[in-house]
Amino acid sequence: MSEITQDSNGFSKSFAVTHADHEFFFHLISFANKQILNISIDGILDTTFKIPVSTKASINYESMMDLIEREDVDDDGQEFTSAGQLPPEPQMIIGNYSNMKISIVASQVGKLMSIHSPREVILSIASKWFGKGDQVCEDDFDKLSFILENVKKLL
């Protein structure tokens, strides 16, 4: 792994790493209200997501966990769960909408980033390394773990 480089103002961090014969370049740009994360694989960025952050997550990550587990009673005395109030899902801006794998990767990256800094994220990533979205491969989880591990290094 190469060393993480940071600009003099601290707005931008990046590093390159080789894994499984592929060159990865992780680049994070942080603004007051937004973060832009580019993960190029062999120089390719072909999918972009807008990952909003929920208001509750920006107040306190633990409150988001409470939303998932808590049961409430509505005005009619009926119990309901707050599962409908889960954090917003990533919105694909550019890419193959039928590839569910890359959507899952974006969702996990968004959750990881919201823990460390709850701001909207624009994620650009190469989807081809993850394969077709309708096929399951043995190394899918390892690929996701590799991406999350390296994103965590930038945070």
Side-chain angles (χ1 to χ4, degrees), residues 62-88:
E62 290 178 17
S63 69
M64 184 173 64
M65 292 289 109
D66 291 340
L67 277 177
I68 295 169
E69 297 172 3
R70 192 183 77 225
E71 286 194 353
D72 288 319
V73 177
D74 66 10
D75 295 338
D76 298 330
Q78 298 288 328
E79 286 188 8
F80 68 94
T81 60
S82 301
Q85 298 176 0
L86 292 174

Side-chain angles (χ1 to χ4, degrees), residues 93-154:
I93 299 170
I94 299 170
N96 180 358
Y97 288 92
S98 65
N99 188 337
M100 289 305 296
K101 284 184 188 181
I102 199 68
S103 295
I104 291 168
V105 170
S107 176
Q108 294 302 309
V109 167
K111 287 176 185 176
L112 175 65
M113 293 184 73
S114 71
I115 291 170
H116 293 278
S117 181
R119 290 179 268 178
E120 179 181 86
V121 176
I122 302 297
L123 170 66
S124 293
I125 189 169
S127 64
K128 296 191 187 317
W129 185 61
F130 296 96
K132 295 182 178 182
D134 59 351
Q135 297 175 347
V136 177
C137 301
E138 290 182 18
D139 63 346
D140 285 342
F141 184 75
D142 294 334
K143 289 178 178 181
L144 173 62
S145 296
F146 171 77
I147 295 295
L148 294 176
E149 175 184 315
N150 284 288
V151 168
K152 197 178 224 183
K153 292 176 184 175
L154 286 175

Side-chain angles (χ1 to χ4, degrees), residues 7-22:
D7 72 347
S8 60
N9 295 324
F11 292 117
S12 174
K13 297 179 190 177
S14 63
F15 70 93
V17 63
T18 301
H19 176 74
D21 296 327
H22 294 281

Side-chain angles (χ1 to χ4, degrees), residues 41-56:
I41 304 171
D42 296 328
I44 298 170
L45 293 169
D46 64 1
T47 304
T48 301
F49 289 91
K50 176 182 175 183
I51 307 171
V53 64
S54 72
T55 306
K56 292 234 181 223

